[in-house]
Structures are given as structure tokens and as C-alpha cells.
Amino acid sequence: MNRRTFLKRSFGSLITLIGLSGGTYFYAKDIEPNLLKVTEEPIHFPNIPAAFHNFRIIQFSDTHIGFHYDLDQFKELAIKINQLQPDLILFSGDLVDKPNQFYWDDRIVEILRSMNAEYGKYWIYGNHDHGGYGTEIVKDIMEAGEFSLLQNESVPISKDGSYFTLAGIDDVMLGKPDLNKALQNQQENDFTILLSHEPDFADITKNYPVQVQLSGHSHGGQVRFPFIGDLYTPPYAEKYVQGKYDLHPNFNLYVNSGIGTTRLPYRFLCKPELHMYELKSE
């Protein structure tokens, strides 16, 4: 940790202790975590096929069910996702907070299955999915919920005789990510979207023929302050924390702030977020 980062976090932690012990505590714990925002992002690239003009993709991430986020809230999220009428639904990892302590039952499967998208539902592992001996059970639950896993692999999303490539890698922290393997079936000039739980992986992705990376993991920092920004983000989400990053003329990174919380049950100036992307053919 460099001196600037140390001072930022020390000063921010002091503000947090003062602020969250006062009037903002109730807001950060009980109000903002429930203020879901929908971030609309048009995606423009010349190799997006005309058949996918206005194609709607919903990304949600980091639900961390079980840590101050329950199945009733998850059901409301599913209803909201369906109201947005997605063509494609993507989940970028961390379904429950502690898989080895979570009470798994059919209800979570029913909620996952209730999400509707004509062109499919896909997901990737996050670090909490692999952690707590969750690798196999989370995979089984997501499969039962009709979500298809992308673990160092890709699929064509086809419409009206055209397609684009959707790829996903294994979790960077606790998995075995292999981008070369994930893109092995990619054809030249394919429009390609990559799912990577950890956003900082974008520094590798930008050297590959990928136009868009969608990530989560950072929670946007969860607690943010004016002029300071985020106080803490986990490894591999320290450089790219929230929002859109233009890292190359032909490569964009989008970092979703997540739905749930972890470690601390607070959100401050960092609302839970759904991303709604619309592809724009040029």
C-alpha cells in the first residue's frame, strides 16, 4: 500500500466512524442498501450485427444473499429484472455470501428460474462462489435456475442469422482463469463481450480481441465520500471500481456496483445497481 492510499483510507475510516455513528448510520444501513438504481448504457461498436440493434442486456452482480440480503429482496430483484424486458440476462458472480453456511432450498432456484430472457441466462463464478466449498453447490443451483455457466468458454448469441460472442472466465482470485481457452472458438471480426468477476483483469483483456468486459466484485466501494471516493475495495478491484472505463479505442470496461453488501452492511453514496445495456449497430 502506498502512502497516498494509506492516508486516504485512514482519513476515510475516521470520517466513517464519525459519520456512521451519527445521523448517517441509519441511512447507510437501512435506507441506501434498498435504493436500487438502473444504469442505462448504450454500447456502440461497428462490428455489432444489425440484427442486434437495440438488443437489451441486463447485468446483475454480487447479491451476497445471506449477509443482510434475503430471498424476499432477491425475489423483488427478479421482478424488477423482468419488468425491464431483457433479451439476455448476465450474472457476474457471488450469489451468496458464505455457501457453506447458507440454508439452500428450492426457493432460491424458483427465483432464479423466474427470470426471463429470450436469448438466455448466463453466469460466471465469483470468489465467494468458489469460497466456502461452494463451487459445486452454486453450480448445481444456478443450473437448476436455468442459468448456463461460462467457465473459460464462449457461446454464440444468435438472432436472425447473425450472432455475437459471449465469453466468460473463471474467477481470478480462487479459480483458474484462461482467456485463451475462453476465446478459442472466436472468429475474426466477432463482436465479443467478456464476463470477468474481477474488473482489474481488464488490463489483460484489453490486449485481446474483446470489445466489452462486464465485471462486478468491487461493490463500487460500498462506502464512498465526496473528494475521497471509495475507502476500500477488494483485490483485483483496486484500479477499476465503478462505472465505465474507456481503456482502448476498441475496448470498454463496465464495473457494476453490485446488489448486496459484504463485510459491512452499509452503502453510502453507492446505491445497489442493475446495468441495462442496449447494443447499437453502426
Short mmCIF file of all heavy atoms in Angstrom, two decimals, residues 183-226:
data_model
loop_
_atom_site.label_atom_id
_atom_site.label_comp_id
_atom_site.label_asym_id
_atom_site.label_seq_id
_atom_site.Cartn_x
_atom_site.Cartn_y
_atom_site.Cartn_z
N LEU A 183 -11.63 -17.89 -25.50
CA LEU A 183 -11.81 -17.28 -26.82
C LEU A 183 -11.40 -18.20 -27.97
O LEU A 183 -11.32 -17.77 -29.12
CB LEU A 183 -11.01 -15.99 -26.91
CG LEU A 183 -11.39 -14.87 -25.92
CD1 LEU A 183 -10.44 -13.69 -26.07
CD2 LEU A 183 -12.83 -14.43 -26.09
N GLN A 184 -11.17 -19.47 -27.68
CA GLN A 184 -10.63 -20.35 -28.71
C GLN A 184 -11.57 -20.57 -29.90
O GLN A 184 -11.11 -20.90 -31.00
CB GLN A 184 -10.25 -21.71 -28.10
CG GLN A 184 -11.41 -22.52 -27.56
CD GLN A 184 -10.94 -23.81 -26.90
OE1 GLN A 184 -9.78 -24.21 -27.04
NE2 GLN A 184 -11.84 -24.49 -26.20
N ASN A 185 -12.86 -20.40 -29.69
CA ASN A 185 -13.81 -20.58 -30.80
C ASN A 185 -14.22 -19.26 -31.44
O ASN A 185 -15.09 -19.25 -32.32
CB ASN A 185 -15.05 -21.32 -30.30
CG ASN A 185 -14.72 -22.74 -29.85
OD1 ASN A 185 -13.93 -23.43 -30.48
ND2 ASN A 185 -15.33 -23.17 -28.75
N GLN A 186 -13.62 -18.19 -31.01
CA GLN A 186 -13.94 -16.87 -31.55
C GLN A 186 -13.49 -16.76 -33.01
O GLN A 186 -12.40 -17.24 -33.38
CB GLN A 186 -13.26 -15.80 -30.71
CG GLN A 186 -13.57 -14.37 -31.10
CD GLN A 186 -12.66 -13.39 -30.37
OE1 GLN A 186 -11.45 -13.61 -30.29
NE2 GLN A 186 -13.23 -12.32 -29.83
N GLN A 187 -14.32 -16.15 -33.81
CA GLN A 187 -13.99 -15.91 -35.22
C GLN A 187 -13.53 -14.47 -35.42
O GLN A 187 -13.90 -13.57 -34.66
CB GLN A 187 -15.20 -16.21 -36.11
CG GLN A 187 -15.72 -17.63 -36.00
CD GLN A 187 -14.69 -18.66 -36.40
OE1 GLN A 187 -14.11 -18.59 -37.48
NE2 GLN A 187 -14.48 -19.65 -35.53
N GLU A 188 -12.72 -14.26 -36.44
CA GLU A 188 -12.23 -12.92 -36.74
C GLU A 188 -13.40 -11.96 -36.97
O GLU A 188 -14.38 -12.30 -37.63
CB GLU A 188 -11.33 -12.96 -37.98
CG GLU A 188 -10.64 -11.65 -38.29
CD GLU A 188 -9.71 -11.75 -39.49
OE1 GLU A 188 -9.64 -12.84 -40.10
OE2 GLU A 188 -9.08 -10.74 -39.81
N ASN A 189 -13.29 -10.79 -36.39
CA ASN A 189 -14.29 -9.72 -36.51
C ASN A 189 -15.55 -9.95 -35.69
O ASN A 189 -16.51 -9.18 -35.81
CB ASN A 189 -14.66 -9.47 -37.98
CG ASN A 189 -13.48 -9.01 -38.80
OD1 ASN A 189 -12.64 -8.25 -38.32
ND2 ASN A 189 -13.40 -9.48 -40.04
N ASP A 190 -15.58 -10.99 -34.85
CA ASP A 190 -16.73 -11.16 -33.95
C ASP A 190 -16.83 -9.98 -32.99
O ASP A 190 -15.80 -9.54 -32.43
CB ASP A 190 -16.58 -12.43 -33.10
CG ASP A 190 -16.94 -13.70 -33.84
OD1 ASP A 190 -17.32 -13.61 -35.03
OD2 ASP A 190 -16.84 -14.78 -33.23
N PHE A 191 -18.04 -9.49 -32.76
CA PHE A 191 -18.27 -8.61 -31.62
C PHE A 191 -18.30 -9.50 -30.39
O PHE A 191 -19.04 -10.49 -30.34
CB PHE A 191 -19.58 -7.84 -31.76
CG PHE A 191 -19.95 -7.08 -30.51
CD1 PHE A 191 -19.17 -6.00 -30.10
CD2 PHE A 191 -21.04 -7.44 -29.75
CE1 PHE A 191 -19.49 -5.29 -28.94
CE2 PHE A 191 -21.37 -6.73 -28.60
CZ PHE A 191 -20.60 -5.67 -28.20
N THR A 192 -17.48 -9.18 -29.38
CA THR A 192 -17.30 -10.08 -28.23
C THR A 192 -17.46 -9.34 -26.92
O THR A 192 -16.85 -8.29 -26.69
CB THR A 192 -15.90 -10.73 -28.29
OG1 THR A 192 -15.77 -11.46 -29.51
CG2 THR A 192 -15.70 -11.69 -27.12
N ILE A 193 -18.27 -9.93 -26.05
CA ILE A 193 -18.44 -9.47 -24.67
C ILE A 193 -17.85 -10.51 -23.75
O ILE A 193 -18.12 -11.71 -23.89
CB ILE A 193 -19.93 -9.27 -24.33
CG1 ILE A 193 -20.53 -8.15 -25.19
CG2 ILE A 193 -20.12 -8.94 -22.85
CD1 ILE A 193 -22.03 -7.97 -25.01
N LEU A 194 -17.03 -10.08 -22.79
CA LEU A 194 -16.42 -10.98 -21.81
C LEU A 194 -16.97 -10.69 -20.42
O LEU A 194 -17.02 -9.53 -20.00
CB LEU A 194 -14.90 -10.81 -21.79
CG LEU A 194 -14.19 -11.64 -20.71
CD1 LEU A 194 -14.16 -13.11 -21.09
CD2 LEU A 194 -12.77 -11.12 -20.45
N LEU A 195 -17.34 -11.75 -19.71
CA LEU A 195 -17.69 -11.65 -18.30
C LEU A 195 -16.47 -12.03 -17.46
O LEU A 195 -15.91 -13.12 -17.62
CB LEU A 195 -18.84 -12.60 -17.96
CG LEU A 195 -20.21 -12.29 -18.57
CD1 LEU A 195 -21.20 -13.40 -18.21
CD2 LEU A 195 -20.72 -10.95 -18.09
N SER A 196 -16.05 -11.13 -16.58
CA SER A 196 -14.97 -11.39 -15.64
C SER A 196 -15.38 -10.80 -14.31
O SER A 196 -15.64 -9.59 -14.21
CB SER A 196 -13.66 -10.74 -16.12
OG SER A 196 -12.69 -10.74 -15.09
N HIS A 197 -15.44 -11.62 -13.28
CA HIS A 197 -15.89 -11.11 -11.98
C HIS A 197 -15.03 -9.94 -11.51
O HIS A 197 -15.55 -8.91 -11.08
CB HIS A 197 -15.87 -12.24 -10.95
CG HIS A 197 -16.38 -11.83 -9.60
ND1 HIS A 197 -17.69 -11.46 -9.37
CD2 HIS A 197 -15.75 -11.70 -8.40
CE1 HIS A 197 -17.86 -11.14 -8.10
NE2 HIS A 197 -16.68 -11.28 -7.49
N GLU A 198 -13.72 -10.09 -11.62
CA GLU A 198 -12.80 -9.07 -11.15
C GLU A 198 -12.50 -8.05 -12.25
O GLU A 198 -11.98 -8.41 -13.31
CB GLU A 198 -11.49 -9.70 -10.65
CG GLU A 198 -11.60 -10.39 -9.30
CD GLU A 198 -12.12 -11.82 -9.39
OE1 GLU A 198 -12.46 -12.24 -10.52
OE2 GLU A 198 -12.19 -12.49 -8.36
N PRO A 199 -12.75 -6.77 -12.01
CA PRO A 199 -12.58 -5.76 -13.07
C PRO A 199 -11.13 -5.50 -13.48
O PRO A 199 -10.87 -5.18 -14.64
CB PRO A 199 -13.21 -4.50 -12.47
CG PRO A 199 -13.21 -4.72 -10.99
CD PRO A 199 -13.36 -6.19 -10.79
N ASP A 200 -10.19 -5.63 -12.56
CA ASP A 200 -8.81 -5.31 -12.90
C ASP A 200 -8.21 -6.27 -13.92
O ASP A 200 -7.14 -6.00 -14.49
CB ASP A 200 -7.93 -5.27 -11.64
CG ASP A 200 -8.24 -4.06 -10.76
OD1 ASP A 200 -9.12 -3.25 -11.14
OD2 ASP A 200 -7.62 -3.93 -9.69
N PHE A 201 -8.89 -7.38 -14.17
CA PHE A 201 -8.48 -8.30 -15.23
C PHE A 201 -8.52 -7.61 -16.59
O PHE A 201 -7.92 -8.09 -17.56
CB PHE A 201 -9.38 -9.54 -15.23
CG PHE A 201 -8.88 -10.66 -16.10
CD1 PHE A 201 -7.88 -11.51 -15.68
CD2 PHE A 201 -9.44 -10.87 -17.36
CE1 PHE A 201 -7.41 -12.54 -16.50
CE2 PHE A 201 -8.99 -11.90 -18.18
CZ PHE A 201 -7.97 -12.74 -17.74
N ALA A 202 -9.18 -6.48 -16.65
CA ALA A 202 -9.28 -5.74 -17.91
C ALA A 202 -7.93 -5.35 -18.47
O ALA A 202 -7.78 -5.17 -19.69
CB ALA A 202 -10.14 -4.49 -17.73
N ASP A 203 -6.92 -5.22 -17.62
CA ASP A 203 -5.59 -4.89 -18.11
C ASP A 203 -4.99 -6.02 -18.94
O ASP A 203 -4.06 -5.80 -19.71
CB ASP A 203 -4.67 -4.54 -16.94
CG ASP A 203 -4.92 -3.13 -16.41
OD1 ASP A 203 -5.49 -2.31 -17.16
OD2 ASP A 203 -4.56 -2.85 -15.26
N ILE A 204 -5.51 -7.21 -18.77
CA ILE A 204 -5.15 -8.34 -19.63
C ILE A 204 -6.08 -8.41 -20.83
O ILE A 204 -5.65 -8.54 -21.98
CB ILE A 204 -5.19 -9.66 -18.84
CG1 ILE A 204 -4.12 -9.64 -17.74
CG2 ILE A 204 -5.00 -10.87 -19.77
CD1 ILE A 204 -4.16 -10.83 -16.81
N THR A 205 -7.36 -8.27 -20.57
CA THR A 205 -8.37 -8.38 -21.63
C THR A 205 -8.13 -7.38 -22.76
O THR A 205 -8.35 -7.70 -23.93
CB THR A 205 -9.78 -8.16 -21.05
OG1 THR A 205 -9.99 -9.04 -19.95
CG2 THR A 205 -10.85 -8.41 -22.10
N LYS A 206 -7.66 -6.19 -22.43
CA LYS A 206 -7.52 -5.14 -23.45
C LYS A 206 -6.52 -5.51 -24.54
O LYS A 206 -6.49 -4.87 -25.60
CB LYS A 206 -7.12 -3.82 -22.80
CG LYS A 206 -5.74 -3.79 -22.18
CD LYS A 206 -5.49 -2.46 -21.49
CE LYS A 206 -4.10 -2.41 -20.86
NZ LYS A 206 -3.88 -1.13 -20.13
N ASN A 207 -5.72 -6.53 -24.30
CA ASN A 207 -4.76 -7.00 -25.31
C ASN A 207 -5.33 -8.09 -26.21
O ASN A 207 -4.60 -8.63 -27.05
CB ASN A 207 -3.50 -7.51 -24.61
CG ASN A 207 -2.81 -6.42 -23.80
OD1 ASN A 207 -2.60 -5.32 -24.28
ND2 ASN A 207 -2.48 -6.73 -22.55
N TYR A 208 -6.60 -8.41 -26.02
CA TYR A 208 -7.26 -9.47 -26.79
C TYR A 208 -8.36 -8.86 -27.66
O TYR A 208 -8.82 -7.74 -27.40
CB TYR A 208 -7.86 -10.51 -25.84
CG TYR A 208 -6.82 -11.44 -25.23
CD1 TYR A 208 -5.99 -11.01 -24.19
CD2 TYR A 208 -6.67 -12.75 -25.69
CE1 TYR A 208 -5.05 -11.85 -23.63
CE2 TYR A 208 -5.74 -13.60 -25.14
CZ TYR A 208 -4.93 -13.15 -24.11
OH TYR A 208 -3.99 -14.01 -23.57
N PRO A 209 -8.86 -9.60 -28.64
CA PRO A 209 -9.94 -9.09 -29.50
C PRO A 209 -11.30 -9.15 -28.81
O PRO A 209 -12.20 -9.89 -29.20
CB PRO A 209 -9.87 -10.00 -30.73
CG PRO A 209 -9.33 -11.29 -30.20
CD PRO A 209 -8.35 -10.90 -29.13
N VAL A 210 -11.43 -8.38 -27.75
CA VAL A 210 -12.67 -8.27 -26.97
C VAL A 210 -13.05 -6.80 -26.94
O VAL A 210 -12.20 -5.93 -26.70
CB VAL A 210 -12.47 -8.79 -25.53
CG1 VAL A 210 -13.69 -8.50 -24.67
CG2 VAL A 210 -12.16 -10.29 -25.54
N GLN A 211 -14.32 -6.49 -27.19
CA GLN A 211 -14.75 -5.09 -27.21
C GLN A 211 -15.29 -4.62 -25.85
O GLN A 211 -15.16 -3.46 -25.50
CB GLN A 211 -15.84 -4.89 -28.28
CG GLN A 211 -15.32 -4.88 -29.70
CD GLN A 211 -14.89 -6.26 -30.17
OE1 GLN A 211 -15.66 -7.22 -30.12
NE2 GLN A 211 -13.65 -6.35 -30.62
N VAL A 212 -15.90 -5.54 -25.10
CA VAL A 212 -16.56 -5.15 -23.84
C VAL A 212 -16.25 -6.17 -22.76
O VAL A 212 -16.36 -7.38 -23.00
CB VAL A 212 -18.09 -5.04 -24.03
CG1 VAL A 212 -18.78 -4.80 -22.70
CG2 VAL A 212 -18.43 -3.93 -25.02
N GLN A 213 -15.87 -5.70 -21.58
CA GLN A 213 -15.77 -6.55 -20.40
C GLN A 213 -16.78 -6.06 -19.37
O GLN A 213 -16.84 -4.87 -19.06
CB GLN A 213 -14.38 -6.54 -19.79
CG GLN A 213 -14.27 -7.38 -18.51
CD GLN A 213 -12.87 -7.39 -17.93
OE1 GLN A 213 -11.89 -7.64 -18.64
NE2 GLN A 213 -12.75 -7.12 -16.63
N LEU A 214 -17.57 -6.99 -18.82
CA LEU A 214 -18.54 -6.69 -17.77
C LEU A 214 -18.07 -7.35 -16.48
O LEU A 214 -17.80 -8.55 -16.46
CB LEU A 214 -19.93 -7.20 -18.15
CG LEU A 214 -20.50 -6.75 -19.49
CD1 LEU A 214 -21.90 -7.33 -19.70
CD2 LEU A 214 -20.52 -5.24 -19.60
N SER A 215 -17.98 -6.56 -15.41
CA SER A 215 -17.45 -7.05 -14.15
C SER A 215 -18.28 -6.58 -12.97
O SER A 215 -19.16 -5.72 -13.11
CB SER A 215 -15.99 -6.59 -13.97
OG SER A 215 -15.16 -7.12 -14.97
N GLY A 216 -17.97 -7.12 -11.80
CA GLY A 216 -18.57 -6.71 -10.54
C GLY A 216 -17.48 -6.65 -9.49
O GLY A 216 -16.49 -5.98 -9.64
N HIS A 217 -17.68 -7.38 -8.37
CA HIS A 217 -16.66 -7.64 -7.35
C HIS A 217 -16.35 -6.45 -6.46
O HIS A 217 -16.19 -6.61 -5.25
CB HIS A 217 -15.38 -8.13 -8.04
CG HIS A 217 -14.29 -8.55 -7.09
ND1 HIS A 217 -14.48 -9.48 -6.09
CD2 HIS A 217 -12.97 -8.17 -7.02
CE1 HIS A 217 -13.33 -9.67 -5.44
NE2 HIS A 217 -12.41 -8.89 -5.98
N SER A 218 -16.30 -5.25 -6.99
CA SER A 218 -15.87 -4.08 -6.22
C SER A 218 -16.94 -3.57 -5.26
O SER A 218 -16.62 -2.88 -4.29
CB SER A 218 -15.49 -2.94 -7.15
OG SER A 218 -16.64 -2.44 -7.83
N HIS A 219 -18.21 -3.83 -5.56
CA HIS A 219 -19.35 -3.22 -4.85
C HIS A 219 -19.31 -1.70 -4.96
O HIS A 219 -19.97 -1.01 -4.18
CB HIS A 219 -19.39 -3.64 -3.38
CG HIS A 219 -19.63 -5.10 -3.17
ND1 HIS A 219 -20.64 -5.59 -2.37
CD2 HIS A 219 -19.00 -6.19 -3.66
CE1 HIS A 219 -20.61 -6.92 -2.37
NE2 HIS A 219 -19.62 -7.29 -3.15
N GLY A 220 -18.53 -1.19 -5.90
CA GLY A 220 -18.39 0.25 -6.02
C GLY A 220 -17.69 0.89 -4.85
O GLY A 220 -17.63 2.12 -4.73
N GLY A 221 -17.15 0.04 -3.95
CA GLY A 221 -16.55 0.53 -2.71
C GLY A 221 -17.51 0.46 -1.52
O GLY A 221 -17.08 0.55 -0.37
N GLN A 222 -18.82 0.36 -1.80
CA GLN A 222 -19.90 0.33 -0.79
C GLN A 222 -20.04 1.65 -0.05
O GLN A 222 -21.14 2.20 0.05
CB GLN A 222 -19.73 -0.81 0.22
CG GLN A 222 -20.20 -2.14 -0.30
CD GLN A 222 -20.31 -3.21 0.77
OE1 GLN A 222 -20.40 -4.38 0.42
NE2 GLN A 222 -20.32 -2.88 2.03
N VAL A 223 -18.96 2.16 0.52
CA VAL A 223 -18.98 3.43 1.24
C VAL A 223 -18.06 4.40 0.50
O VAL A 223 -16.87 4.15 0.34
CB VAL A 223 -18.53 3.28 2.70
CG1 VAL A 223 -18.45 4.64 3.38
CG2 VAL A 223 -19.49 2.35 3.45
N ARG A 224 -18.63 5.50 0.04
CA ARG A 224 -17.87 6.49 -0.73
C ARG A 224 -18.12 7.88 -0.13
O ARG A 224 -19.20 8.13 0.43
CB ARG A 224 -18.29 6.49 -2.20
CG ARG A 224 -18.16 5.14 -2.89
CD ARG A 224 -18.65 5.20 -4.33
NE ARG A 224 -17.85 6.09 -5.15
CZ ARG A 224 -16.77 5.70 -5.83
NH1 ARG A 224 -16.38 4.44 -5.79
NH2 ARG A 224 -16.09 6.56 -6.56
N PHE A 225 -17.14 8.74 -0.25
CA PHE A 225 -17.28 10.11 0.22
C PHE A 225 -16.84 11.08 -0.86
O PHE A 225 -15.94 10.76 -1.66
CB PHE A 225 -16.44 10.35 1.49
CG PHE A 225 -17.02 9.72 2.72
CD1 PHE A 225 -16.54 8.51 3.17
CD2 PHE A 225 -18.06 10.32 3.41
CE1 PHE A 225 -17.07 7.90 4.30
CE2 PHE A 225 -18.60 9.73 4.54
CZ PHE A 225 -18.11 8.52 4.99
N PRO A 226 -17.46 12.27 -0.91
CA PRO A 226 -17.02 13.28 -1.88
C PRO A 226 -15.54 13.59 -1.71
O PRO A 226 -15.04 13.64 -0.58
CB PRO A 226 -17.89 14.49 -1.53
CG PRO A 226 -19.09 13.93 -0.86
CD PRO A 226 -18.60 12.73 -0.10
#
